[in-house]
Amino acid sequence: MQPPAHEELVADLRSLRERGLTRLRDTPLPALDVAAALCVLPAPGVSEAYRPAAVEELLRRAVAALGGGNLTASAEHTFGLVPGTRDWPVGERRKRAASVYGVSTERFRKHHEQLIADEIAEAILRLCLAAGAVRPAHLPDGPAVVPLGPVTLDFMPVEMITGVDVIVSSENVYLEASKIFRRSLSAALRRACAERTESGELVDDVVQRELAQWMRAHGRPGLPVAPGTVVATGPGRLGRSGVRRVYHAAVAVPSADGTEYTFSTEAMARAVGNVFRLAERERPRFRPPLRSIALPLFGAGRGGLDPAESLSWLWAAVEGELDDRARRDWDLHLVTHSPRDAGVIIRHFGGT
C-alpha cells in the first residue's frame, strides 16, 4: 500500500472540512483512509468501525505537526478540533478561523483555506514517510525472511511470523498492552494472541489478561515496574504458528501528560539481558527446548528514537549477552514491518 497523492489528500480534506467531524463516519475519504491505515492503524485485520477514529487521529497529528502559530490555530478551528467546536457548521468554523488571521471570511475562504489544506496534506505525507510507508528500493516486494549473518530479519507484520519460539514486545513500565486497534507492535501482538470466535468476537484477550495477572501476583496493579523488567505471557492464537512465548519488555516510560514515551539505553540493555535470562530459565520447560528469539527495535516507533540509533544500542546489548558461551546457540531474529526500519537493519548487517 503506497501513500496517496498530495492532490487526493487535499480533495478529501476539503470534503471533511465541509461536512465536519460529526459526519466523518458517512463521508467517503479514500485518500485519508489509506494514509490512516499507513500511519495510525495496521492495514490488516482492523474493523471498519475504527476507520473514523483513525482518520481523526491522523488529522490531529498532522495539524499538531504544523508547528503552532496562526496556521495551527486556524487549522484547528477549520476542522472543529478546538474543544467545543466539533459540531459547529462550516460557516461558524470558517468565521472563527478567519479571525485568527484578522481577515474577512471571504478572503479566508479563497486563500487561507487552500493554504491550510495544502499544508495539512504535506504534513500527512511526512507522517507516511516517518511511518516507513515509502519503500526503499532494495527491500523485498512483500513479507520476507532475510538471513543477515548473525541475525535473521523477519520483514512482515508480527502476526505473519511462524516458527519463532519467543517474540519480544516493548511495553510501558505499567505493563499495559497498547490499545488493540493501534499500530504499535504491542497492539499487533495483543490482537494476534487474542482468541476470537469465527465471527471475530473477542473471547479471551490473552496478553492483557496475563499481564494483569502478573501485576496482581507481584503487588503492582496501577504501579510501575523497574525499567527493563521482562514478563512472559502465553502466545494464545499465535501458538498455532509455532510461537511459544511472548516476552514483554518494560522499556517505555510515559511522560507526565501521557502523550509521549522516553527510552533509556540503560533500560534497553537491561531488558535485553533479562530476555536472555528469562529464556534460559524457561528453555528446559519446553520440548523441544526454546531456541529462537525475535527482538524489535525498541523505541523506534512511538518512542521517536532514530531506528539506526535503536539498532546500534540494541545490538551492542545483544553482543554483550552473546559473550556468554551458553547463549551463543540462540537463533536470533529482528522483527519489523516498517520498510524504513528494515532498510536500516539490512544496511547495518551489510545487506545490499
Side-chain angles (χ1 to χ4, degrees):
M1 185 184 297
Q2 290 296 310
H6 181 272
E7 59 270 21
E8 295 172 337
L9 289 168
V10 169
D12 276 9
L13 288 166
R14 288 173 178 167
S15 295
L16 181 56
R17 180 188 66 212
E18 297 303 312
R19 294 172 68 87
L21 291 176
T22 58
R23 300 183 64 187
L24 203 162
R25 187 169 292 279
D26 60 0
T27 302
L29 301 167
L32 287 173
D33 286 348
V34 170
L38 292 169
C39 299
V40 181
L41 294 176
V46 176
S47 168
E48 172 68 13
Y50 292 115
R51 183 193 68 87
V55 170
E56 182 174 343
E57 174 66 15
L58 174 72
L59 178 63
R60 290 183 179 278
R61 291 184 190 179
V63 170
L66 296 180
N70 288 346
L71 183 61
T72 297
S74 59
E76 289 173 338
H77 283 293
T78 294
F79 287 95
L81 299 176
V82 176
T85 65
R86 184 183 186 86
D87 61 346
W88 284 13
V90 62
E92 289 299 313
R93 287 185 272 113
R94 180 177 288 134
K95 182 178 178 180
R96 184 62 64 88
S99 71
V100 173
Y101 281 104
V103 299
S104 68
T105 54
E106 186 62 13
R107 170 65 175 165
F108 183 82
R109 184 183 68 81
K110 289 182 177 180
H111 175 69
H112 296 81
E113 279 187 348
Q114 179 61 48
L115 172 65
I116 289 169
D118 285 342
E119 287 299 308
I120 293 176
E122 291 289 355
I124 290 172
L125 291 176
R126 290 195 298 273
L127 290 172
C128 289
L129 182 63
V134 180
R135 181 184 300 272
H138 63 277
L139 289 181
D141 291 333
V145 176
V146 184
L148 294 170
V151 71
T152 298
L153 168 63
D154 290 278
F155 176 47
M156 62 188 69
V158 70
E159 57 267 32
M160 294 179 65
I161 292 178
T162 61
V164 175
D165 295 321
V166 178
I167 298 179
V168 181
S169 175
S170 60
E171 307 288 359
N172 60 60
V173 292
Y174 291 87
L175 285 176
E176 294 177 349
S178 181
K179 292 186 182 297
I180 205 163
F181 56 82
R182 293 197 183 276
R183 187 180 174 84
S184 65
L185 174 62
S186 173
L189 276 169
R190 184 176 174 183
R191 284 193 304 274
C193 293
E195 297 287 355
R196 298 178 181 272
T197 64
E198 291 184 0
S199 63
E201 180 183 359
L202 180 67
V203 294
D204 186 7
D205 192 353
V206 175
V207 165
Q208 184 72 359
R209 174 176 56 78
E210 294 195 18
L211 285 177
Q213 288 173 345
W214 189 95
M215 293 292 276
R216 286 194 299 271
H218 291 79
R220 304 303 294 175
L223 300 173
V225 298
T229 298
V230 176
V231 174
T233 65
R237 199 157 43 98
L238 272 181
R240 300 163 198 169
S241 300
V243 178
R244 296 194 277 178
R245 297 297 271 168
V246 178
Y247 287 178
H248 304 269
V251 293
V253 179
S255 60
D257 61 6
T259 60
E260 297 179 347
Y261 294 94
T262 59
F263 289 76
S264 71
T265 56
E266 293 83 359
M268 190 185 301
R270 195 178 304 121
V272 170
N274 285 333
V275 163
F276 279 98
R277 280 184 279 278
L278 180 57
E280 291 287 346
R281 289 199 305 271
E282 292 201 323
R283 192 175 215 172
R285 291 173 42 194
F286 292 85
R287 291 291 181 271
L290 300 177
R291 176 171 175 77
S292 51
I293 300 173
L295 293 157
L297 295 188
F298 292 123
R302 289 190 64 195
L305 280 183
D306 179 86
E309 180 183 3
S310 173
L311 177 58
S312 177
W313 286 108
L314 172 71
W315 198 249
V318 169
E319 288 185 319
E321 294 298 324
L322 295 183
D323 285 342
D324 183 337
R325 291 186 179 182
R327 295 177 182 163
R328 291 181 184 174
D329 60 344
W330 284 102
D331 178 16
L332 297 180
H333 295 241
L334 293 175
V335 57
T336 183
H337 69 148
S338 162
R340 176 199 63 172
D341 295 358
V344 167
I345 292 168
I346 290 173
R347 287 191 296 272
H348 180 92
F349 291 101
T352 58

